[in-house]
Amino acid sequence: MPLVNLKDRLALIKSDRDKKASPAPRKRIVPEGWTEIAPLVWMREIDRPFVRAPAFFSPHLMRAMPFREDRRQNRGGTGSQCADIPPVPAERIVFFDLETTGLSGGSGTIAFLSTVARFEGSDLVLRQTFLGDYPGERDFLVLVTSQLEDADWVASYNGAAFDLPLLQTRCVLNRLAMPLVRHIDVLHDCRRFWRGLAASCSLSSMENLILKKERDEDIPGALVPGVWLDYVKSDVLREEQSALMTLVWRHNVQDVVSLAELFLLVESAYRSPESAVLRYSIDPAGLARRLLRMDREEEAKGILLMVRDKAEMFELTGDARTRALRHLASIAWKARDRELYVKTILAMDDASLFGCLAKAKLYEHFLKEELSALSWARKARDIAVAGGAGEGTRASASSLSALSLEAIDHRIARLERKIAKKDNPAAL
Amino acid sequence: MNPETANAICDELASWLAAQSEIAWSTKLPARVPDLVPLPENLPPVLVQALGSRGIKALYSHQKKAYELARAGRDLVVVTPTASGKTLCYNLPVLQTLLEEPESRALYLFPTKALSQDQQSALNEVMLAGSIGLTINTYDGDTPADIRTKARTSGRIIISNPDMLHAGILPNHTKWVKFFSNLRYIVVDELHAYRGVFGSHVASVLRRLIRIAKFYGSSPIFIFSSATIANPRELAERYIEREVALVEENGAGSGEKVVFCVNPPLVDAVQGIRRSSSLEAESVMLWLLRKGVRTILFSRSRLQVELLASYLNQKLENPYNRDFGLVVKPYRSGLLPSERRAIEKGLREGNIHGVVSTNALELGIDIGGLDAAVITGYPGSIASFWQQAGRAGRTAGLSLAVYVASSAPLDQYFAAHPEYFLSRSAEQAHIDAYNPYIFTDHLKCAAFELPFAEGEAFSPDPSNVRAAQLTQEALEYLEEEGIVRHAAGRYFWSAEGYPGEKTSLRTATTENVVIVDVTQGRHDVIGEMDRPSAKELLFDKAVYIHLGTQYQVKSLDLEKRLCLVERSDVDYWTDSIVKRDIEVLSQDSTEPHGQLDLILGDILVRGQVEKYKKLRFNTNENVGYGEIWLPPEEMQTRSLMVALKPEGGAWRLLREIPPERADGILRSAADLVRQLAPARILCDIHDIGVASRVRDQFFKSPAMYFYDVYPGGTGIAEALHANLKEAMASAIERLAGCPCAGGCPSCIGVEIASAENKALALQLLRLLHGALES
């Protein structure tokens, strides 16, 4: 924002300038493909053949929640709460994304572009609504909210934290009712599934990593607000301004297409977890945890067992594998399934600190074989000294402290005492 | 203290003081009989019960009056001294409304976070006692996220501060729909704290608040409360631009209060050097504590507070009787919130018997009643003095206040002229709600919150023509800057980002240095301090005392805002020496006025800590020096400069007297203008910085600087530029009309007091004023 220094400002504020008449909203030529629906509000429809469009979705399998301003009250709204909802015809779900004048929210940030997409047959039909200037905002919002209201479900990427609260704010300011929609934020599942894989779970990094797409022509999201603000304040549009705005429209379309693709992928993971884990490098522990919360324990166990027994089928990092086996071990522990527990621990990676320690604990407390326990504890110590502590442990402080050298030494000393006592009970 | 012991102790104190030092004067303020009236008749039974359980069966007359005004829908300001049950004035009508209207809400604003927490605990006490069951939430920077959500939707009373309102609540008002739609009362406590530039900011924040409330269809009633100032009603009306009723008759009773003004004994009668006022205050407090008198000692600096508390505890140390069962604590900014809460609680509950405090305890934090207050040196304003003295004697019965005069000329003048001191009235508080800089900054925030309609006045009064015009001009300016967009009769915020982020309501930087104790591998955060003070108090090897524990600074990293300290037991403390100077950066406009030039421009005010002294504990004996290597604290700001031209009358006048005297006369003339300017340009005296030099290095002639103490400036220099002539005229009027013989604090000050200097200063001001008129 250009800020002149204070003295110039004062001079400007004080200077007497002729009072301007209120400017009439300027007319822009409606570009090809767009239709003017209301003053300053344009719409267009884009048809995109979609290869894998199924007839039904099972959004009830996913983490869904009605949108309210107060999201926290709905925390823990798991699939099981919606379990009695039947599968939804594909065309009853819409994919939604906004472009706005700022990324930080607040009541001065407005939405100027919306894309709402839905399946029609095997096509994805995108309806894009564009606001050409501030005074058209109310009409713009009426259109957008009616498109959302028209569906049973709305899917978004980060909509829970950004798009929907922003839409809500705009509705409040324009005294419109915000539709109460069932909402699925695909970002939440992406985080569970691919957090370990990508540095960030932004839509663009998911696009690259999971959908393996590259955008040929695009504008970075951070520049989008400036393009519109500049567009709206210009009396006459320069060619590059129009070109940039065209890019913004496209950017928004691409975002929604990717959102739909990610949604399909995530949804299919809930439908057939095993094959999804194999095909899309999903973190097995992340998916298993979600399944468990939906009382789909057998399926959760299934994918974890697959990780344990058919390691060669996966391209998993050691980290993801360790996490999966830890999770399986904890399921076994809670179910008091001794065999599963022992087998899982024994399957853990011999080269990882966590694996060695788990085995040391197993042998000491469960199998009562102190000598084996000691040798695993010593191995753990070697790894810890070599500095290989971290992997497999996106863990709490308490479990980290169990991995400290001090704790390992303590364990070794205890094991040595136990062995000595067993060897020579009279000595102590 | 019961009355008999109290009287006995008072007499004993008088003779003890007379024996060991010098009582300059003493006075007895009479007791006041409480003016009690019955509780209002239609008060809900739960409220009556809640009051009853706290022992309240009747109201003071001023509480009743405030209650009736508020219930009648009037805006009001309550001005009563400490301990007069001020909070009930607003709690009673607010709670009753909240009980009667299940959706209604109230907002309480306090100037500091510490106060709002205190208020919440006080309110919760009332609530719990009567199980009224209204949700009260503090909403500030420290509020955890999950409580914030609850507060927004279900908090019936929100307790917050202007800064949070400005940066957190108003820009996100759509999350507060329920709150704003049902907002019935806004309570602004400690109104006197909002004056000058800070007050002007707060005025704009309140304007934004009123505007948003209006958008949601509510028009809340304002209840202001203030400590004694000269113009409470005018100040409150400037805030909300409508008539405000004044409640100022204090119906609370109070016991007698004896005020002693003590001059420390002469150490060197020939040179007139007296014992240090701090040490004198310390022995007074020690004497009082040993007599079982619960005492608060006010000291000027954080360092002194820690030192005095340590000395007192040392002197009370006695392993045989657990230090006489007496506990003394230091209280100042920079302590951790939990530490402050603990001390406040200890004082309320009586297990802390003495506290040494900076003016941090001057504001309305509830610490219960103490028996005596010891004040070291004049605290800078008469209102502060009586606030501090009022800390003693909240309950009925005799209380004591001991004013220990320092050797500063002002203190000595007050010691010598009790009639002058005791008849001084409280200061005025000013704000300029239309300071163009501040107004424009907040106009941006307001446009972000809600588009402006054409012709809308950014003012609590929609019919304010001047405000409408100023709003229009500022909006047009913002449109040219591309910050708002004018379309279809409205102005829309049209920029990226949050305007509130760029505007801070206070000068103080929020960048605090964190102090970490690293003794023997520890890593404990023990406190924090603002950056400018850190340079003066936390330089390498400085001795830092925290709640009586002594540390030495290992390293100060200003970039990481981290100060590492280690326990230490050296036998000295450290005091830094700060050198300040002014550099002229630009002269943007020069207006010649015959024998002087008026210049507006940018200056750099620099404060550099260069050296420190090591002073032995207790004796203050100087045991060495050290160097300090820290970057200077610099502030670029706007200044009005008055440069005298060679050979002009004023120039000649100053040339003809010896340089030191000339310096003093020029300085006292500048100071007097500074003192009288706030009433003209509606700021606080502390918003204006002043400097003067007879041999100014930049102008090569005598010069005065009046500068804005806010970095970058807030229009103070410009406003003074437009009003200098009038301010000079008031200065002349004050000086010529001052009945004193040879200078007093009301005119030229006491440092250069003499009849001759008074005449010279008057002559100088007349020459300057004459030049401005030409």
Side-chain angles (χ1 to χ4, degrees):
Chain A
M1 186 163 50
L3 262 178
V4 291
N5 68 31
L6 288 170
K7 20 184 208 275
D8 296 352
R9 268 170 54 193
L10 188 79
L12 271 168
I13 295 168
K14 283 190 170 166
S15 73
D16 269 346
R17 271 168 294 135
D18 294 340
K19 212 174 167 181
K20 283 188 224 155
S22 177
R26 69 177 81 78
K27 270 288 197 196
R28 295 240 194 262
I29 299 160
V30 181
E32 209 188 312
W34 292 88
T35 321
E36 189 168 44
I37 299 286
L40 301 168
V41 182
W42 305 343
M43 242 178 85
R44 68 169 172 173
E45 215 171 84
I46 302 166
D47 228 337
R48 237 181 228 224
F50 221 73
V51 200
R52 295 180 289 112
F56 286 92
F57 287 126
S58 310
H60 61 286
L61 294 180
M62 305 170 67
R63 179 199 168 91
M65 52 199 172
F67 172 75
R68 295 235 178 82
E69 188 264 323
D70 182 5
R71 295 192 317 282
R72 275 160 223 285
Q73 287 175 358
N74 298 300
R75 184 164 278 177
T78 60
S80 59
Q81 284 176 351
C82 320
D84 47 352
I85 302 169
V88 176
E91 69 269 16
R92 299 300 303 158
I93 182 158
V94 295
F95 304 92
F96 168 60
D97 189 47
L98 289 175
E99 296 300 333
T100 66
T101 57
L103 304 174
S104 50
S107 48
T109 303
I110 85 158
F112 64 86
L113 181 63
S114 143
T115 297
V116 175
R118 82 163 78 207
F119 285 108
E120 290 180 8
S122 62
D123 286 0
L124 186 67
V125 178
L126 299 105
R127 283 189 184 84
Q128 201 162 34
T129 315
F130 177 67
L131 172 65
D133 199 353
Y134 292 90
E137 193 191 12
R138 196 166 197 281
D139 292 328
F140 171 83
L141 292 170
V142 169
L143 262 171
V144 173
T145 50
S146 71
Q147 288 165 5
L148 296 183
E149 240 165 359
D150 221 20
D152 294 340
W153 294 81
V154 173
S156 75
Y157 204 83
N158 195 25
F162 186 75
D163 304 63
L164 291 178
L166 194 127
L167 190 63
Q168 158 112 343
T169 290
R170 301 322 304 168
C171 284
V172 168
L173 280 164
N174 286 277
R175 306 196 193 274
L176 291 169
M178 169 80 178
L180 189 67
V181 292
R182 281 182 194 280
H183 174 224
I184 296 165
D185 193 331
V186 180
L187 168 66
H188 295 176
D189 280 315
C190 286
R191 276 210 194 112
R192 289 181 184 280
F193 293 178
W194 294 296
R195 177 159 45 188
L197 209 65
S200 100
C201 285
S202 69
L203 185 60
S204 63
S205 86
M206 289 293 110
E207 233 175 53
N208 290 334
L209 274 162
I210 310 302
L211 304 175
K212 320 267 185 223
K213 292 205 303 193
E214 290 282 341
R215 293 191 188 183
D216 45 355
E217 240 184 306
D218 192 28
I219 178 167
L223 298 184
V224 168
V227 171
W228 189 78
L229 291 172
D230 186 40
Y231 171 96
V232 102
K233 284 177 224 163
S234 305
D235 284 326
V236 183
L237 282 189
R238 279 168 288 121
E239 213 167 287
E240 77 249 30
Q241 284 178 299
S242 308
L244 279 172
M245 192 47 83
T246 310
L247 275 185
V248 170
W249 294 334
R250 251 179 79 135
H251 174 87
N252 187 228
V253 167
Q254 285 174 317
D255 277 357
V256 173
V257 172
S258 293
L259 161 66
E261 287 175 332
L262 274 173
F263 175 84
L264 284 179
L265 220 144
V266 166
E267 196 254 4
S268 77
Y270 282 104
R271 276 208 265 194
S272 31
E274 293 194 11
S275 71
V277 169
L278 287 173
R279 285 177 62 189
Y280 308 125
S281 340
I282 291 175
D283 178 18
L287 179 53
R289 196 164 280 130
R290 294 289 306 134
L291 292 172
L292 269 180
R293 289 195 61 181
M294 298 170 184
D295 302 323
R296 294 166 68 184
E297 193 177 328
E298 285 313 308
E299 287 163 281
K301 249 178 10 197
I303 54 172
L304 296 174
L305 280 170
M306 208 165 64
V307 173
R308 192 187 74 185
D309 300 334
K310 297 178 187 155
E312 65 288 351
M313 291 170 64
F314 294 88
E315 285 175 36
L316 283 182
T317 58
D319 186 58
R321 188 181 142 81
T322 306
R323 247 182 293 131
L325 293 193
R326 280 181 73 176
H327 199 52
L328 186 56
S330 87
I331 293 173
W333 182 261
K334 275 181 203 143
R336 301 181 186 279
D337 186 337
R338 183 187 165 95
E339 194 196 330
L340 178 63
Y341 183 74
V342 173
K343 222 175 146 189
T344 304
I345 298 282
L346 290 178
M348 282 185 180
D349 189 356
D350 290 353
S352 87
L353 174 58
F354 188 85
C356 292
L357 265 180
K359 286 174 199 178
K361 284 184 211 165
L362 178 79
Y363 279 109
E364 182 181 353
H365 301 298
F366 219 70
L367 304 175
K368 309 283 179 202
E369 290 175 33
E370 282 82 5
L371 279 173
S372 307
L374 184 60
S375 87
W376 283 114
R378 286 188 173 144
K379 194 160 179 201
R381 191 180 195 284
D382 291 343
I383 297 171
V385 170
E391 108 284 9
T393 51
R394 194 158 54 214
S396 62
S398 64
S399 66
L400 270 177
S401 75
L403 297 174
S404 75
L405 204 55
E406 205 178 323
I408 299 172
D409 282 340
H410 192 72
R411 179 179 299 277
I412 291 175
R414 186 177 62 226
L415 283 164
E416 283 171 347
R417 275 201 309 277
K418 280 190 185 173
I419 291 164
K421 192 173 163 189
K422 251 189 193 170
D423 287 351
N424 186 2
L428 284 160
Chain B
M1 292 190 288
N2 73 50
E4 278 157 47
T5 12
N7 282 321
I9 285 176
C10 183
D11 293 344
E12 239 181 288
L13 176 67
S15 45
W16 180 78
L17 283 173
Q20 82 134 22
S21 37
E22 199 181 287
I23 299 179
W25 47 263
S26 70
T27 182
K28 189 182 249 181
L29 308 178
R32 241 193 348 257
V33 186
D35 183 3
L36 286 168
V37 293
L39 291 176
E41 273 170 15
N42 59 349
L43 218 52
V46 267
L47 218 45
V48 176
Q49 213 181 345
L51 292 171
S53 67
R54 299 184 87 203
I56 300 169
K57 306 251 186 270
L59 293 183
Y60 296 132
S61 53
H62 66 281
Q63 292 172 330
K64 179 79 170 283
K65 188 173 170 200
Y67 167 86
E68 280 165 354
L69 283 164
R71 291 288 293 173
R74 294 283 305 276
D75 302 293
L76 65 130
V77 55
V78 182
V79 185
T80 48
T82 4
S84 58
K86 176 186 67 178
T87 51
L88 211 52
C89 292
Y90 52 76
N91 280 337
L92 212 51
V94 169
L95 291 176
Q96 179 167 0
T97 304
L98 296 193
L99 284 169
E100 288 167 353
E101 300 168 21
E103 285 302 319
S104 58
R105 304 284 200 276
L107 174 67
Y108 284 19
L109 290 175
F110 293 90
T112 63
K113 266 196 285 191
L115 268 179
S116 36
Q117 266 149 12
D118 180 68
Q119 184 61 23
Q120 188 182 12
S121 64
L123 268 172
N124 279 334
E125 229 170 273
V126 184
M127 299 292 133
L128 290 175
S131 56
I132 292 178
L134 297 172
T135 318
I136 301 160
N137 290 108
T138 297
Y139 197 93
D140 59 30
D142 297 342
T143 310
D146 51 329
I147 298 197
R148 289 186 181 206
T149 312
K150 262 190 226 140
R152 289 200 290 260
T153 46
S154 53
R156 300 290 304 282
I157 297 179
I158 296 291
I159 298 175
S160 194
N161 53 58
D163 312 76
M164 193 64 192
L165 197 56
H166 159 68
I169 298 176
L170 291 173
N172 296 297
H173 61 87
T174 55
K175 292 182 179 168
W176 294 79
V177 176
K178 226 172 168 177
F179 177 79
F180 282 119
S181 311
N182 297 292
L183 187 56
R184 292 292 314 276
Y185 285 103
I186 295 170
V187 171
V188 181
D189 202 346
E190 310 278 343
L191 178 67
H192 59 278
Y194 307 125
R195 52 176 194 253
V197 169
F198 178 47
S200 308
H201 273 292
V202 174
S204 276
V205 172
L206 290 186
R207 253 193 286 238
R208 284 159 55 196
L209 173 64
I210 292 169
R211 188 165 174 261
I212 294 299
K214 192 175 166 199
F215 175 75
Y216 292 102
S218 53
S219 47
I221 295 162
F222 276 83
I223 307 180
F224 297 94
S225 94
S226 169
T228 311
I229 48 173
N231 56 342
R233 183 177 184 161
E234 181 205 333
L235 185 65
E237 288 180 349
R238 270 188 200 278
Y239 272 99
I240 58 171
E241 295 186 16
R242 51 185 196 236
E243 199 189 320
V244 174
L246 175 65
V247 179
E248 61 177 347
E249 312 76 28
N250 178 14
S254 69
E256 284 177 320
K257 174 168 288 166
V258 177
V259 184
F260 292 99
C261 175
V262 176
N263 231 339
L266 282 167
V267 184
D268 182 336
V270 182
Q271 293 188 53
I273 297 172
R274 291 179 183 274
R275 188 176 179 225
S276 134
S277 58
S278 287
L279 297 180
E280 178 71 11
E282 178 206 327
S283 37
V284 174
M285 175 146 178
L286 191 64
W287 188 91
L288 288 165
L289 284 171
R290 286 194 166 138
K291 294 283 173 193
V293 180
R294 294 170 7 97
T295 307
I296 181 165
L297 192 161
F298 284 100
S299 183
R300 299 292 289 279
S301 75
R302 286 177 272 200
L303 190 63
Q304 285 296 331
V305 161
E306 287 284 359
L307 279 174
L308 290 176
S310 302
Y311 293 169
L312 282 162
N313 279 318
Q314 267 167 33
K315 285 176 184 144
L316 290 168
E317 211 165 76
N318 186 326
Y320 301 106
N321 58 11
R322 291 173 46 227
D323 308 345
F324 303 90
L326 293 173
V327 180
V328 177
K329 294 280 183 195
Y331 187 100
R332 59 179 173 88
S333 62
L335 298 181
L336 298 176
S338 56
E339 292 170 339
R340 280 160 64 122
R341 293 295 94 71
I343 296 169
E344 290 155 18
K345 190 160 175 270
L347 285 166
R348 272 197 300 270
E349 291 173 359
N351 43 39
I352 293 176
H353 308 87
V355 64
V356 185
S357 174
T358 54
N359 60 6
L361 271 181
E362 204 179 285
L363 289 172
I365 295 164
D366 180 17
I367 51 168
L370 292 159
D371 304 318
V374 181
I375 299 160
T376 321
Y378 180 61
S381 82
I382 207 80
S384 287
F385 179 87
W386 291 113
Q387 285 264 91
Q388 297 188 352
R391 274 305 188 183
R394 298 197 122 196
T395 41
L398 181 86
S399 65
L400 300 165
V402 182
Y403 167 24
V404 181
S406 74
S407 52
L410 199 56
D411 274 329
Q412 287 304 313
Y413 185 87
F414 291 149
H417 298 92
E419 69 300 331
Y420 177 89
F421 183 78
L422 292 168
S423 64
R424 261 165 91 100
S425 53
E427 290 80 4
Q428 296 223 336
H430 304 289
I431 58 161
D432 179 5
Y434 290 94
N435 172 322
Y437 293 79
I438 298 171
F439 181 83
T440 310
D441 275 343
H442 287 276
L443 187 83
K444 279 194 226 169
C445 299
F448 179 88
E449 286 149 15
L450 212 58
F452 271 94
E454 254 170 43
E456 180 180 344
F458 181 39
S459 153
D461 174 12
S463 62
N464 184 332
V465 179
R466 186 187 155 220
Q469 193 187 341
L470 202 57
T471 308
Q472 185 64 31
E473 282 172 17
L475 283 169
E476 279 170 20
Y477 160 68
L478 292 178
E479 190 197 359
E480 279 184 16
E481 290 292 307
I483 292 168
V484 299
R485 161 125 182 87
H486 186 194
R490 293 207 287 170
Y491 290 87
F492 299 89
W493 173 255
S494 180
E496 289 177 65
Y498 243 55
E501 268 172 7
K502 296 187 181 83
T503 308
S504 168
L505 308 189
R506 309 182 198 237
T507 29
T509 51
T510 44
E511 297 174 5
N512 277 355
V513 173
V514 174
I515 306 166
V516 179
D517 174 14
V518 293
T519 313
Q520 292 175 345
R522 245 172 278 209
H523 197 86
D524 303 336
V525 173
I526 55 170
E528 52 178 24
M529 195 181 283
D530 62 289
R531 198 192 55 213
S533 309
K535 284 182 176 175
E536 292 174 27
L537 295 170
L538 295 174
F539 46 87
D540 288 3
K541 294 192 185 139
V543 173
Y544 171 70
I545 308 173
H546 188 95
L547 281 179
T549 309
Q550 186 186 330
Y551 299 89
Q552 192 156 25
V553 175
K554 269 189 75 180
S555 70
L556 171 64
D557 187 334
L558 287 168
E559 257 170 45
K560 290 190 187 143
R561 287 186 251 152
L562 188 67
C563 176
L564 304 180
V565 299
E566 243 173 10
R567 299 239 171 140
S568 92
D569 53 2
V570 295
D571 63 348
Y572 60 83
W573 53 284
T574 51
D575 194 10
S576 59
I577 303 162
V578 189
K579 206 181 116 189
R580 293 182 204 281
D581 64 60
I582 280 177
E583 195 182 306
V584 179
L585 298 177
S586 73
Q587 302 177 72
D588 302 322
S589 71
T590 305
E591 223 176 82
H593 286 274
Q595 56 169 305
L596 60 84
D597 282 343
L598 275 192
I599 301 143
L600 267 176
D602 286 348
I603 61 164
L604 191 69
V605 182
R606 189 186 293 121
Q608 168 97 59
V609 281
E610 289 177 332
K611 275 191 175 123
Y612 65 91
K613 289 185 279 194
K614 297 176 183 172
L615 299 161
R616 200 184 297 283
F617 285 122
N618 295 304
T619 61
N620 289 352
E621 182 189 344
N622 195 333
V623 292
Y625 280 96
E627 300 276 335
I628 302 173
W629 306 101
L630 283 172
E633 193 63 28
E634 290 184 336
M635 175 181 73
Q636 189 178 333
T637 188
R638 303 280 296 156
S639 177
L640 172 65
M641 298 165 251
V642 182
L644 304 191
K645 288 212 184 116
E647 305 307 330
W651 185 88
R652 275 202 310 272
L653 179 136
L654 291 168
R655 263 303 145 92
E656 280 159 14
I657 42 183
E660 308 89 74
R661 252 181 84 196
D663 257 326
I665 285 163
L666 186 65
R667 187 171 57 242
S668 62
D671 271 339
L672 196 53
V673 172
R674 172 182 180 244
Q675 277 181 40
L676 293 164
R680 290 264 162 214
I681 62 175
L682 301 179
C683 68
D684 191 64
I685 183 159
H686 299 109
D687 296 330
I688 311 174
V690 68
S692 66
R693 299 187 281 216
V694 166
R695 288 166 200 274
D696 188 88
Q697 299 202 327
F698 184 82
F699 294 108
K700 311 284 178 213
S701 71
M704 299 192 224
Y705 297 80
F706 300 95
Y707 60 90
D708 197 318
V709 302
Y710 285 69
T714 51
I716 298 281
E718 284 81 358
L720 190 58
H721 179 247
N723 287 282
L724 187 64
K725 200 172 74 188
E726 290 75 15
M728 289 251 181
S730 333
I732 290 167
E733 192 185 322
R734 166 75 66 86
L735 191 47
C738 192
C740 72
C744 75
S746 298
C747 57
I748 57 166
V750 285
E751 279 170 52
I752 59 155
S754 78
E756 197 189 341
N757 284 347
K758 192 177 165 187
L760 279 170
L762 183 60
Q763 204 184 336
L764 175 66
L765 280 168
R766 283 196 168 129
L767 283 167
L768 297 177
H769 182 255
L772 288 174
E773 259 184 333
S774 65

